[in-house]
Amino acid sequence: MRTDPSRRRFLQSLALLALPVFAKGEDTLGPVPTLLAARWDKSFGSVAGATVATPSRGHGIIPVSASEAIVIARRPGYWMMRVNWQSGEIVRQLAAAPERHFFGHAVLSPDGKQLLASENNIQTGQGLIGIYHPATLQRLGELPSHGIGPHELIFIDEQTLAIANGGILTLPQSGRNKLNLASMEPSIVLLDWPSGKKRSQHILPDPSLSLRHLALAEDGTLGIAIQAESSTGSSVDDAPLLAILKDGQFSLAQTLPGLGGYAASIAAVGNQFIVSALEGNALALWDTNGRATQQYGLLRPAGIAAWQGKALISTELGVITQLDPHNGKLTPLASYPNIKWDNHLILA
């Protein structure tokens, strides 16, 4: 699908109107909770507080206590660290296991006693879920992800782990180069926890739609943010940004023109999914039936965190903005002009 140029210009004009104007370094976060985010400059920390230097760019963040979080390296990553985001101290740091690399995400088990990380078996190219002790970062074992390129993980309930297998093969010798764009195999897999037995696998007809990030709505619907690829490696002008898994049925949500093909992040506010369309300079909203409901212009939106019926959004321009999906109001909260936030914004 090709982008409608007039529609894209319209969205970009909306984005310019939505861009807040601040004095340099101004911060009006006020009562908003502590937000954690990785940055493009190889650092991590709370949005308005201490920072920690990381060996390379970080990606996924998992809060594990009132002051500590686990940060995972961006794909293909080789480190995981537990940090104190209040003091900036690195509590523990771990290298990836031999013949393994991280894909940037992890999740705590429902009882909080284990950390599950998406990984790659470098020898076979098959996806794995590494199992770790969240306090010591000791590796306890692994399970198959039943796919290639597992990315984000989420527990649908205490016995069901959802895995977004992005379908893209990467290996250490080629860095971030995508090696199988002509034969991608994206899927959503549901595993029984803790046995690791595969319950179901869900596949879209179009294998070029890489399934990456996940959010769970109040009614139990799983939203999957899409980052579309091209078999030739060329840029994708326009593509679906959201898939829905509801009551066992897997389908694409309504496709909106003019938003590009890259969903940076996703969050659920009640029974609405909010996706940051990074290339389309917009936030897009869908209900849990996959019906598009609204979109708002915002330049280079990245991470999204749901909070008290609203969404907090970071951008690659250093802005933190709040969206109230009930009245459509975008409220600028803070601006850090020298910071490029990564794709995820997490409540501490």
Side-chain angles (χ1 to χ4, degrees):
M1 181 187 300
R2 303 294 295 181
T3 303
D4 179 344
S6 63
R7 184 176 179 82
R8 176 153 292 183
R9 286 194 296 270
F10 172 68
L11 285 168
Q12 290 173 339
S13 68
L14 288 179
L16 289 169
L17 291 173
L19 184 65
V21 178
F22 288 97
K24 186 176 181 180
E26 183 177 350
D27 184 340
T28 60
L29 283 174
V32 173
T34 300
L35 300 169
L36 306 177
R39 307 172 183 186
W40 279 46
D41 65 355
K42 301 180 184 179
S43 68
F44 156 83
S46 62
V47 165
T51 60
V52 181
T54 54
S56 58
R57 271 180 60 185
H59 193 67
I61 303 159
I62 307 93
V64 289
S65 76
S67 60
E68 294 184 1
I70 292 171
V71 187
I72 314 288
R74 186 177 71 143
R75 171 190 68 85
Y78 296 92
W79 57 264
M80 175 195 301
M81 60 175 60
R82 180 168 175 145
V83 303
N84 186 311
W85 50 261
Q86 291 183 332
S87 66
E89 173 192 6
I90 298 175
V91 179
R92 285 182 180 80
Q93 185 170 335
L94 174 77
E99 301 301 325
R100 304 288 184 265
H101 74 66
F102 297 116
F103 275 106
H105 280 278
V107 66
L108 287 172
S109 61
D111 61 8
K113 294 181 179 180
Q114 292 159 306
L115 180 78
L116 313 180
S118 52
E119 300 182 4
N120 187 35
N121 181 326
I122 294 170
Q123 290 186 327
T124 67
Q126 292 300 304
L128 297 168
I129 307 303
I131 305 173
Y132 297 83
H133 191 289
T136 65
L137 300 187
Q138 177 187 0
R139 200 170 197 273
L140 305 174
E142 63 186 28
L143 298 169
S145 79
H146 300 281
I148 293 173
H151 200 67
E152 190 162 23
L153 321 165
I154 191 172
F155 275 94
I156 293 177
D157 56 46
E158 292 191 358
Q159 289 81 41
T160 309
L161 176 67
I163 305 166
N165 286 307
I168 297 173
L169 177 65
T170 53
L171 293 174
Q173 60 267 33
S174 54
R176 286 181 59 79
N177 290 339
K178 301 161 184 174
L179 303 179
N180 65 333
L181 292 181
S183 57
M184 288 171 52
E185 299 177 9
S187 65
I188 295 296
V189 168
L190 302 185
L191 291 187
D192 179 77
W193 176 256
S195 74
K197 181 180 179 180
K198 183 171 72 170
R199 289 188 184 175
S200 62
Q201 184 177 38
H202 305 272
I203 300 171
L204 292 172
D206 185 350
S208 71
L209 302 178
S210 182
L211 307 171
R212 297 294 186 90
H213 295 128
L214 304 172
L216 190 65
E218 285 185 358
D219 67 3
T221 302
L222 184 66
I224 304 99
I226 294 170
Q227 295 176 13
E229 300 290 345
S230 163
S231 61
T232 62
S234 59
S235 62
V236 178
D237 287 335
D238 227 356
L241 294 182
L242 180 69
I244 298 285
L245 179 59
K246 184 171 186 174
D247 299 327
Q249 301 299 310
F250 190 44
S251 62
L252 287 173
Q254 180 182 353
T255 300
L256 296 170
L259 296 185
Y262 185 96
S265 191
I266 182 173
V269 175
N271 288 322
Q272 293 187 87
F273 292 115
I274 303 175
V275 168
S276 49
L278 186 70
E279 301 297 337
N281 294 306
L283 301 171
L285 280 68
W286 287 263
D287 63 25
T288 57
N289 292 315
R291 182 177 66 91
T293 58
Q294 192 55 268
Q295 53 189 295
Y296 305 94
L298 184 65
L299 288 174
R300 304 298 293 177
I304 312 174
W307 177 65
Q308 295 187 353
K310 300 178 178 64
L312 304 172
I313 301 102
S314 61
T315 78
E316 288 187 348
L317 303 180
V319 174
I320 304 294
T321 298
Q322 178 179 275
L323 170 66
D324 187 334
H326 305 290
N327 60 22
K329 184 178 180 181
L330 273 174
T331 304
L333 301 177
S335 179
Y336 307 91
N338 296 321
I339 294 176
K340 290 180 72 172
W341 304 113
D342 195 68
N343 281 11
H344 300 292
L345 188 66
I346 305 295
L347 300 183

